[in-house]
Amino acid sequence: MQPSDTIVAIATPAGVGGIAVVRLSGPDALSIALAHLSVSALPPRRAVYCRFLQSADPAERESYLDDGIAIYYPCGYTGEPTVELSCHGSRYVQQALVQALVDSGARLAEPGEYTLRAFLHGRLNLSQAEAVADLIDAVTPAQHRLAVSQLRGGYADRLRLLRQQLLDLTSLLELELDFSQEDVEFADRHELRRLLATLDRQLATLIDSFAAGNALKQGVPVAIVGAPNAGKSSLLNALLGDDRAIVSDVPGTTRDTIEELLTLDGITFRFIDTAGLRRTADAVEAQGVERSLRALRQARLVLYVHDASTPWREPQLDLQGQQLIVVLNKSDLALPDGPAGALAVSARTGDGLDRLRDAMLQAVRRALPQGDEVLLSNVRHRDALLRVQEALRQADDGLQGGMPADLVAVDLRDALYHLGTITGEVATDDVLGNIFSRFCIGK
């Protein structure tokens, strides 16, 4: 699957701007570009100011299109000869330049094809290629740090070490198959099980980090729950600084979940304002309560809002690992009475909101790995690692039960296969197409 043609695309966002970049990549990138430039050569990795010509016909060499900068890379981002042409950001100029290059033999690039070629030429492994898309999509410092960490290879290094350990195990067992007639064991079974247990723990650590990594990538889901009229919608509006949710004294106003985003100190919180938790005969409100319970199960952080002007009642919440912050709202109406650690706030006056924001940040940071630990944030990778873990546990069961080496080796090879799908040692056309289809055209 090594590409042999030359592709072209606009590498900058669609629209009008000061400049736009048109990127050519492939074996004929230089010759195609020179056919539309007023210069006869492009020294490698040097910016050359020149004219861009609409026609490659020598008889029409004055078909002036624009002035701009051309840079030639003998081995660019894709691992192929690459030419980048910086022109003015006129839509017409961009499209006319691309069409001229297509007329001279280039092909319009598919979504993500530049990064796909970088992967095929060994410039990136598959997990790093996916990190490129995450880096492009990053809108907060936390998302940026997560993508850069994976792009620089820290995550890939961890996977590479795991794969090497698996290869060593598999090699020892398969070596025994060559001496099956002699009934020789090269690998001590107790030592193999110890190594499998170590690998299982390493995998479990990576898999467990997915909740935190995915929360940073997609936004930390925060469910705002409580009884009707506790001020949940008012609290959401106060935190957002905008009237996003309907506020009313009538109980049961919120019938559906409302989602809004808020970024605090580089971390995005995805707030879910829910219907009040109570028994109701109203069929529509009952659906809202059911959706509230579903949002509660999906949240990582739960804000339980209690009306401070009413007697405190212990909430009946079925929490499954979510972090809970009790918020005593309407503290401007009464002296709050609640459990230790509860935060008194007033959505109406804004009192206590800063303390609540700090508590939310601290709750999220406590759940994050410390130091240089790797965070897993890709659903595809999580699913693959779960399959690796299952295969290793089957191999351990086989060793414990005295299963022959060839059958245990099958499970280890299965683990290697699923691990390889993450980094690209194993990659089908369908997998690659699915991954790179979410990239923009120029990347």
Side-chain angles (χ1 to χ4, degrees):
M1 194 179 170
Q2 291 297 324
S4 59
D5 54 356
T6 298
I7 56 175
V8 63
I10 300 170
T12 41
V16 178
I19 63 168
V21 176
V22 174
R23 177 184 287 162
L24 275 163
S25 181
D28 299 322
L30 182 58
S31 60
I32 291 174
L34 286 173
H36 293 274
L37 302 179
S38 62
V39 296
S40 58
L42 289 176
R45 293 174 294 277
R46 289 183 59 185
V48 177
Y49 178 75
C50 56
R51 289 183 178 181
F52 299 153
L53 307 173
Q54 196 160 8
S55 174
D57 186 348
E60 300 180 37
R61 291 296 288 180
E62 293 306 316
S63 58
Y64 171 81
L65 184 61
D66 196 10
D67 289 336
I69 300 293
I71 305 177
Y72 166 56
Y73 302 96
C75 186
Y77 169 73
T78 59
E80 304 172 318
T82 301
V83 178
E84 293 186 353
L85 306 174
S86 299
C87 61
H88 288 97
S90 155
R91 287 193 183 96
Y92 170 75
V93 170
Q94 296 177 57
Q95 295 298 334
L97 182 55
V98 168
Q99 186 59 54
L101 297 169
V102 168
D103 291 343
S104 291
R107 170 178 63 79
L108 288 175
E110 299 291 335
E113 190 168 1
Y114 290 95
T115 304
L116 172 60
R117 291 186 176 211
F119 163 70
L120 293 175
H121 287 105
R123 305 279 284 186
L124 302 168
N125 65 41
L126 199 53
S127 64
Q128 288 175 308
E130 289 173 286
V132 171
D134 293 339
L135 183 60
I136 293 171
D137 293 338
V139 295
T140 69
Q143 293 169 346
H144 173 263
R145 287 193 298 270
L146 186 61
V148 167
S149 172
Q150 295 184 359
L151 184 59
R152 287 182 172 175
Y155 173 54
D157 289 342
R158 177 72 63 85
L159 295 179
R160 193 176 298 112
L161 178 60
L162 282 171
R163 187 172 188 274
Q164 187 58 53
Q165 291 172 307
L166 270 177
L167 279 172
D168 293 342
L169 283 175
T170 308
S171 299
L172 283 173
L173 285 176
E174 292 189 342
L175 184 62
E176 293 180 3
L177 302 181
D178 295 333
F179 296 87
S180 57
Q181 300 300 321
E182 287 79 7
D183 195 25
V184 176
E185 283 191 357
F186 290 98
D188 180 87
R189 292 325 192 236
H190 294 292
E191 180 64 15
L192 284 179
R193 292 197 64 203
R194 188 189 67 79
L195 290 174
L196 285 174
T198 300
L199 288 175
D200 186 78
R201 287 193 296 271
Q202 293 175 358
L203 284 169
T205 299
L206 272 177
I207 293 168
D208 290 345
S209 75
F210 174 77
N214 191 57
L216 288 182
K217 182 178 177 180
Q218 305 293 344
V220 180
V222 182
I224 305 177
V225 301
N229 263 15
K232 300 182 298 298
S233 297
S234 297
L235 181 64
L236 174 62
N237 289 339
L239 287 169
L240 297 174
D242 195 5
D243 292 333
R244 302 298 295 168
I246 297 174
V247 176
S248 171
D249 293 332
V250 178
T253 300
T254 301
R255 301 290 186 98
D256 202 351
T257 55
I258 300 172
E259 293 198 21
E260 293 293 340
L261 299 179
L262 175 67
T263 299
L264 299 175
D265 198 22
I267 297 176
T268 297
F269 292 86
R270 183 158 47 87
F271 285 98
I272 309 169
D273 182 23
T274 65
L277 300 177
R278 67 170 180 173
R279 295 183 183 276
T280 176
D282 186 313
V284 176
E285 186 182 355
Q287 289 186 35
V289 172
E290 175 56 35
R291 294 188 181 189
S292 299
L293 295 174
R294 192 183 314 142
L296 179 64
R297 291 190 292 269
Q298 295 172 348
R300 283 185 55 80
L301 183 61
V302 176
L303 303 186
Y304 179 75
V305 183
H306 172 71
D307 183 348
S309 64
T310 64
W312 167 255
R313 298 179 63 181
E314 195 70 29
Q316 301 300 310
L317 300 176
D318 182 19
L319 298 182
Q320 300 175 354
Q322 302 97 324
Q323 298 194 68
L324 176 67
I325 297 178
V326 176
V327 180
L328 305 177
N329 192 24
K330 305 182 183 180
S331 62
D332 55 312
L333 301 180
L335 185 64
D337 176 27
L343 297 177
V345 305
S346 171
R348 186 178 68 84
T349 66
D351 183 54
L353 289 180
D354 285 341
R355 291 191 298 274
L356 175 57
R357 294 186 184 100
D358 289 341
M360 290 166 52
L361 284 169
Q362 290 173 16
V364 171
R365 287 169 177 155
R366 280 196 300 269
L368 295 177
Q370 303 301 311
D372 297 327
E373 291 186 52
V374 174
L375 280 178
L376 180 66
S377 63
N378 188 298
V379 175
R380 187 183 73 85
H381 298 179
R382 189 271 313 270
D383 291 344
L385 289 178
L386 285 171
R387 292 188 176 95
V388 174
Q389 189 177 55
E390 177 62 25
L392 292 184
R393 289 177 178 177
Q394 288 179 4
D396 184 64
D397 290 342
L399 289 172
Q400 188 177 12
M403 188 177 290
D406 56 341
L407 296 181
V408 175
V410 169
D411 290 324
L412 292 180
R413 283 196 296 267
D414 193 36
L416 278 170
Y417 170 83
H418 291 300
L419 196 57
T421 63
I422 300 177
T423 55
E425 280 90 355
V426 178
T428 65
D429 289 355
D430 287 343
V431 169
L432 295 180
N434 182 59
I435 290 172
F436 291 100
S437 63
R438 70 187 184 100
F439 281 66
C440 56
I441 294 291
K443 195 63 177 177

